[in-house]
């Protein structure tokens, strides 16, 4: 299948061609860093990459997708992707054989679509300048699956951005990209943030910092109950910047949630600096929650409180 109205180069049939190898190398971090590019694989990731590309193109922003490779069968199964690729300013899908696609792909069972994308992370300054109300901060989270789950949860909860500190997983890792299920292309992502500088910046921008901690002294259920009570009584939501110790956390205020490493959790000094340690209650016999699951619960608790409180706003 060719894309309507666009001239097509001959299908790529040699799995040992230099271009095939160059694309395949993007599965490795050295090649990604050198070229500033990564792979989006499968229909969902490729579809969202193309949509972001079109959105940026319409606003004069930098292109996202530089190359698109597809098998004829994959384009037949996904006519919407073929239509997206046929839009102005988008690269034509280069047809490839199943064997070529398999050599390019980092997965055992490729789905017939690969997009080569430019890095799309943004600066911390740009995120904070937009006066965010809800942020997810991953502190040394190293598992690609967990990072992707948290990013998807943040996207679903309507968070304004996701921030990864230094020593966290490379979010452009093919497994991490796949695990975001396209959400990587939906909201701003900051990579490699210095954790100490980050905390100071969050406070300066009037964000309450909540540390998700299984041993926290504040119960998430209690915070939700208090938020509901304030909404019903019409009490104010104004608080102090940064969530200083001794202040009661309020979910309806602009908030940055900190989520820690899978094995060690959050560093003790960071938990202390955050000011609020919030635990997700466990009613059954499980020892703990996976960090991705805990993040989903916490982010939705904040999102619900903020959306049910019209008066919620950041200080000027």
């Amino acid at each position: 299948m060719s894309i309507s109205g666009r001239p097509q180069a001959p299908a790529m049939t040699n799995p040992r061609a230099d271009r095939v190898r160059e694309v395949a190398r993007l599965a490795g971090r050295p090649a990604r860093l050198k070229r500033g590019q990564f792979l989006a694989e499968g229909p969902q990731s490729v579809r969202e990459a193309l949509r972001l590309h079109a959105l940026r193109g319409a606003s004069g922003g930098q292109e996202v997708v530089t190359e698109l490779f597809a098998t004829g069968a994959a384009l037949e199964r996904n006519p919407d992707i073929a239509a997206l690729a046929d839009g102005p300013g988008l690269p034509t899908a280069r047809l490839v054989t199943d064997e070529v696609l398999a050599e390019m792909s980092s997965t055992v069972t490729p789905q017939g679509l690969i997009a080569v994308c430019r890095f799309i992370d943004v600066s911390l300054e740009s995120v904070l300048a937009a006066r965010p109300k809800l942020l997810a901060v991953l502190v040394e989270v190293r598992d690609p699956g967990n990072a992707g789950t948290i990013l998807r949860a943040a996207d679903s909860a309507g968070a304004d951005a996701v921030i990864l500190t230094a020593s966290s997983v490379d979010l452009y890792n093919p497994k991490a990209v796949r695990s975001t299920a396209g959400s990587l292309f939906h909201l701003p992502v900051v990579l490699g943030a210095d954790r100490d500088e980050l905390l100071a910046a969050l406070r300066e921008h009037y964000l309450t910092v909540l540390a998700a901690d299984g041993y926290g002294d504040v119960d998430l259920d209690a915070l939700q109950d208090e938020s509901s009570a304030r909404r019903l009584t019409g009490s104010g939501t104004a608080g102090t910047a940064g969530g200083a110790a001794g202040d009661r956390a309020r979910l309806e205020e602009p908030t940055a949630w900190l989520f820690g490493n899978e094995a060690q959790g959050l560093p003790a000094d960071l938990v202390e600096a955050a000011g609020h340690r919030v635990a997700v209650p466990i009613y059954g016999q499980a020892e703990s929650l996976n960090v991705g699951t805990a993040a989903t619960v916490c982010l939705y608790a904040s999102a619900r409180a903020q959306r049910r409180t019209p008066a919620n706003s950041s200080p000027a």
Side-chain angles (χ1 to χ4, degrees):
M1 175 182 178
S2 63
I3 297 178
S4 61
R6 304 279 292 277
Q8 288 288 310
M12 297 175 66
T13 60
N14 182 5
R16 291 176 292 279
D18 289 343
R19 187 70 200 112
V20 175
R21 292 174 178 172
E22 288 174 7
V23 172
R25 288 192 187 102
L26 290 174
R29 183 175 171 84
R32 290 197 298 272
L33 291 177
K34 180 179 180 180
R35 293 170 54 184
Q37 296 177 327
F38 67 102
L39 298 178
E41 303 182 54
Q44 184 62 17
S45 290
V46 169
R47 181 180 295 110
E48 301 313 309
L50 289 172
R51 285 175 174 165
L52 179 60
H53 184 112
L55 185 64
R56 287 194 175 181
S59 61
Q62 186 183 50
E63 66 180 8
V64 175
V65 178
T66 63
E67 294 177 281
L68 179 61
F69 301 96
T71 65
L75 289 177
E76 291 281 2
R77 291 192 301 269
N78 300 278
D80 61 325
I81 292 178
L84 282 169
D86 200 30
L90 286 160
T92 302
R94 181 77 184 271
L95 292 176
V96 298
T97 63
D98 290 336
E99 292 76 18
V100 168
L101 201 289
E103 285 296 318
M104 290 179 172
S105 176
S106 64
T107 66
V108 177
T109 55
Q111 295 179 277
L113 290 159
I114 291 180
V116 177
C117 304
R118 295 183 188 276
F119 284 180
I120 55 175
D121 52 288
V122 301
S123 68
L124 176 62
E125 292 75 14
S126 67
V127 166
L128 296 179
R131 301 180 69 181
K133 291 184 178 180
L134 183 59
L135 300 175
V137 180
L138 282 63
V139 181
E140 299 178 11
V141 172
R142 298 192 175 100
D143 180 78
N146 283 334
T149 297
I150 296 173
L151 200 147
R152 288 176 68 184
D155 182 18
S156 299
D160 296 293
V162 173
I163 301 169
L164 282 76
T165 67
S167 300
S168 292
V169 66
D170 178 4
L171 203 57
Y172 295 129
N173 174 311
K175 183 177 179 181
V177 174
R178 289 194 301 273
S179 68
T180 71
S183 287
L184 174 61
F185 301 100
H186 293 168
L187 74 173
V189 174
V190 177
L191 303 180
D194 179 272
R195 69 182 202 187
D196 296 323
E197 294 177 0
L198 172 62
L199 276 182
L202 294 174
R203 289 195 181 92
E204 288 173 4
H205 286 78
Y206 302 101
L207 285 147
T208 296
V209 181
L210 303 182
D213 181 1
Y215 301 99
D217 52 4
V218 179
D219 185 285
L220 182 62
D221 274 2
L223 293 184
Q224 293 184 92
D225 290 343
E226 292 167 8
S227 176
S228 295
R230 282 190 294 272
R231 180 180 62 85
L232 292 173
T233 61
S235 59
T237 63
T240 57
D247 297 330
R248 187 66 167 173
R250 299 188 177 199
L251 293 176
E252 59 267 33
E253 293 183 345
T255 298
W257 278 98
L258 308 183
F259 305 109
N261 178 270
E262 294 82 358
Q264 288 80 33
L266 288 165
D269 60 328
L270 199 62
V271 172
E272 183 178 355
H276 298 298
R277 299 169 56 210
V278 182
V280 177
I282 295 177
Y283 302 115
Q285 300 182 54
E287 178 186 2
S288 62
L289 286 174
N290 169 278
V291 64
T293 303
T296 302
V297 173
C298 293
L299 290 168
Y300 265 91
S302 285
R304 183 172 184 270
Q306 291 178 357
R307 280 160 176 72
R308 290 167 65 101
T309 309
N312 176 52
S313 61
S314 314

mmCIF file of all heavy atoms in Angstrom, residues 233-255:
data_model
loop_
_atom_site.group_PDB
_atom_site.id
_atom_site.type_symbol
_atom_site.label_atom_id
_atom_site.label_comp_id
_atom_site.label_asym_id
_atom_site.label_seq_id
_atom_site.Cartn_x
_atom_site.Cartn_y
_atom_site.Cartn_z
ATOM 1 N N THR A 233 -17.927 23.238 52.937
ATOM 2 C CA THR A 233 -18.106 24.385 53.840
ATOM 3 C C THR A 233 -17.682 25.694 53.215
ATOM 4 O O THR A 233 -17.906 26.766 53.787
ATOM 5 C CB THR A 233 -17.312 24.163 55.138
ATOM 6 O OG1 THR A 233 -15.915 24.038 54.816
ATOM 7 C CG2 THR A 233 -17.786 22.919 55.862
ATOM 8 N N GLY A 234 -17.010 25.611 52.045
ATOM 9 C CA GLY A 234 -16.587 26.834 51.366
ATOM 10 C C GLY A 234 -15.389 27.494 51.999
ATOM 11 O O GLY A 234 -15.144 28.685 51.765
ATOM 12 N N SER A 235 -14.613 26.745 52.802
ATOM 13 C CA SER A 235 -13.430 27.344 53.425
ATOM 14 C C SER A 235 -12.352 27.568 52.386
ATOM 15 O O SER A 235 -12.303 26.912 51.363
ATOM 16 C CB SER A 235 -12.897 26.433 54.534
ATOM 17 O OG SER A 235 -12.558 25.160 54.017
ATOM 18 N N GLY A 236 -11.445 28.503 52.662
ATOM 19 C CA GLY A 236 -10.405 28.876 51.702
ATOM 20 C C GLY A 236 -9.382 27.789 51.508
ATOM 21 O O GLY A 236 -9.264 26.854 52.287
ATOM 22 N N THR A 237 -8.585 27.933 50.448
ATOM 23 C CA THR A 237 -7.546 26.960 50.131
ATOM 24 C C THR A 237 -6.158 27.556 50.129
ATOM 25 O O THR A 237 -5.200 26.892 49.795
ATOM 26 C CB THR A 237 -7.804 26.332 48.743
ATOM 27 O OG1 THR A 237 -7.723 27.354 47.765
ATOM 28 C CG2 THR A 237 -9.159 25.661 48.701
ATOM 29 N N ALA A 238 -6.041 28.825 50.498
ATOM 30 C CA ALA A 238 -4.722 29.452 50.432
ATOM 31 C C ALA A 238 -3.789 28.829 51.438
ATOM 32 O O ALA A 238 -4.140 28.568 52.562
ATOM 33 C CB ALA A 238 -4.844 30.951 50.711
ATOM 34 N N GLY A 239 -2.564 28.558 51.025
ATOM 35 C CA GLY A 239 -1.565 27.967 51.906
ATOM 36 C C GLY A 239 -0.233 28.625 51.717
ATOM 37 O O GLY A 239 -0.087 29.569 50.960
ATOM 38 N N THR A 240 0.769 28.112 52.379
ATOM 39 C CA THR A 240 2.099 28.672 52.257
ATOM 40 C C THR A 240 2.875 27.924 51.197
ATOM 41 O O THR A 240 2.626 26.763 50.923
ATOM 42 C CB THR A 240 2.848 28.566 53.595
ATOM 43 O OG1 THR A 240 2.885 27.197 53.983
ATOM 44 C CG2 THR A 240 2.160 29.380 54.665
ATOM 45 N N ALA A 241 3.832 28.604 50.599
ATOM 46 C CA ALA A 241 4.613 28.005 49.526
ATOM 47 C C ALA A 241 5.427 26.849 50.048
ATOM 48 O O ALA A 241 6.008 26.894 51.114
ATOM 49 C CB ALA A 241 5.541 29.056 48.913
ATOM 50 N N GLY A 242 5.476 25.774 49.223
ATOM 51 C CA GLY A 242 6.381 24.677 49.484
ATOM 52 C C GLY A 242 5.919 23.690 50.517
ATOM 53 O O GLY A 242 6.557 22.667 50.728
ATOM 54 N N GLY A 243 4.817 23.910 51.203
ATOM 55 C CA GLY A 243 4.371 22.940 52.181
ATOM 56 C C GLY A 243 5.309 22.831 53.356
ATOM 57 O O GLY A 243 5.818 21.770 53.673
ATOM 58 N N ALA A 244 5.603 23.918 54.001
ATOM 59 C CA ALA A 244 6.543 23.894 55.119
ATOM 60 C C ALA A 244 6.033 22.991 56.213
ATOM 61 O O ALA A 244 4.848 22.805 56.411
ATOM 62 C CB ALA A 244 6.709 25.322 55.655
ATOM 63 N N ALA A 245 6.967 22.388 56.969
ATOM 64 C CA ALA A 245 6.608 21.488 58.044
ATOM 65 C C ALA A 245 5.688 22.193 59.019
ATOM 66 O O ALA A 245 5.866 23.340 59.374
ATOM 67 C CB ALA A 245 7.872 20.999 58.753
ATOM 68 N N GLY A 246 4.677 21.470 59.480
ATOM 69 C CA GLY A 246 3.730 22.048 60.412
ATOM 70 C C GLY A 246 2.458 22.515 59.734
ATOM 71 O O GLY A 246 1.432 22.658 60.381
ATOM 72 N N ASP A 247 2.482 22.764 58.456
ATOM 73 C CA ASP A 247 1.284 23.102 57.698
ATOM 74 C C ASP A 247 0.603 21.808 57.266
ATOM 75 O O ASP A 247 1.258 20.822 56.975
ATOM 76 C CB ASP A 247 1.642 23.917 56.450
ATOM 77 C CG ASP A 247 2.284 25.252 56.801
ATOM 78 O OD1 ASP A 247 1.958 25.805 57.865
ATOM 79 O OD2 ASP A 247 3.127 25.694 56.006
ATOM 80 N N ARG A 248 -0.704 21.828 57.185
ATOM 81 C CA ARG A 248 -1.443 20.647 56.751
ATOM 82 C C ARG A 248 -1.535 20.656 55.231
ATOM 83 O O ARG A 248 -1.929 21.652 54.628
ATOM 84 C CB ARG A 248 -2.834 20.661 57.380
ATOM 85 C CG ARG A 248 -3.643 19.400 57.136
ATOM 86 C CD ARG A 248 -3.029 18.198 57.824
ATOM 87 N NE ARG A 248 -3.980 17.073 57.820
ATOM 88 C CZ ARG A 248 -3.673 15.867 58.236
ATOM 89 N NH1 ARG A 248 -2.441 15.613 58.672
ATOM 90 N NH2 ARG A 248 -4.566 14.903 58.228
ATOM 91 N N ALA A 249 -1.148 19.561 54.604
ATOM 92 C CA ALA A 249 -1.203 19.478 53.152
ATOM 93 C C ALA A 249 -2.634 19.583 52.662
ATOM 94 O O ALA A 249 -3.558 19.070 53.295
ATOM 95 C CB ALA A 249 -0.593 18.154 52.686
ATOM 96 N N ARG A 250 -2.826 20.258 51.536
ATOM 97 C CA ARG A 250 -4.147 20.411 50.931
ATOM 98 C C ARG A 250 -4.079 19.960 49.483
ATOM 99 O O ARG A 250 -3.378 20.558 48.670
ATOM 100 C CB ARG A 250 -4.613 21.861 51.031
ATOM 101 C CG ARG A 250 -4.733 22.343 52.476
ATOM 102 C CD ARG A 250 -5.371 23.704 52.547
ATOM 103 N NE ARG A 250 -5.545 24.131 53.935
ATOM 104 C CZ ARG A 250 -6.385 25.083 54.319
ATOM 105 N NH1 ARG A 250 -7.105 25.713 53.416
ATOM 106 N NH2 ARG A 250 -6.496 25.413 55.584
ATOM 107 N N LEU A 251 -4.835 18.936 49.167
ATOM 108 C CA LEU A 251 -4.760 18.352 47.840
ATOM 109 C C LEU A 251 -5.211 19.299 46.742
ATOM 110 O O LEU A 251 -4.819 19.155 45.587
ATOM 111 C CB LEU A 251 -5.609 17.075 47.783
ATOM 112 C CG LEU A 251 -5.124 15.902 48.625
ATOM 113 C CD1 LEU A 251 -6.114 14.747 48.531
ATOM 114 C CD2 LEU A 251 -3.738 15.439 48.186
ATOM 115 N N GLU A 252 -6.065 20.268 47.085
ATOM 116 C CA GLU A 252 -6.582 21.167 46.062
ATOM 117 C C GLU A 252 -5.588 22.246 45.656
ATOM 118 O O GLU A 252 -5.803 22.965 44.677
ATOM 119 C CB GLU A 252 -7.902 21.807 46.514
ATOM 120 C CG GLU A 252 -7.797 22.610 47.787
ATOM 121 C CD GLU A 252 -8.133 21.797 49.025
ATOM 122 O OE1 GLU A 252 -7.841 20.579 49.040
ATOM 123 O OE2 GLU A 252 -8.694 22.369 49.973
ATOM 124 N N GLU A 253 -4.503 22.387 46.392
ATOM 125 C CA GLU A 253 -3.498 23.387 46.042
ATOM 126 C C GLU A 253 -2.584 22.864 44.936
ATOM 127 O O GLU A 253 -2.450 21.658 44.734
ATOM 128 C CB GLU A 253 -2.662 23.733 47.273
ATOM 129 C CG GLU A 253 -3.440 24.463 48.359
ATOM 130 C CD GLU A 253 -2.555 24.841 49.532
ATOM 131 O OE1 GLU A 253 -1.437 24.300 49.622
ATOM 132 O OE2 GLU A 253 -2.977 25.670 50.340
ATOM 133 N N PRO A 254 -1.910 23.759 44.196
ATOM 134 C CA PRO A 254 -0.907 23.315 43.219
ATOM 135 C C PRO A 254 0.118 22.416 43.897
ATOM 136 O O PRO A 254 0.685 22.772 44.933
ATOM 137 C CB PRO A 254 -0.285 24.629 42.740
ATOM 138 C CG PRO A 254 -1.390 25.630 42.905
ATOM 139 C CD PRO A 254 -2.097 25.220 44.174
ATOM 140 N N THR A 255 0.337 21.240 43.333
ATOM 141 C CA THR A 255 1.068 20.178 44.025
ATOM 142 C C THR A 255 2.081 19.496 43.123
ATOM 143 O O THR A 255 1.822 19.262 41.941
ATOM 144 C CB THR A 255 0.073 19.124 44.554
ATOM 145 O OG1 THR A 255 -0.803 19.734 45.500
ATOM 146 C CG2 THR A 255 0.791 17.969 45.221
#
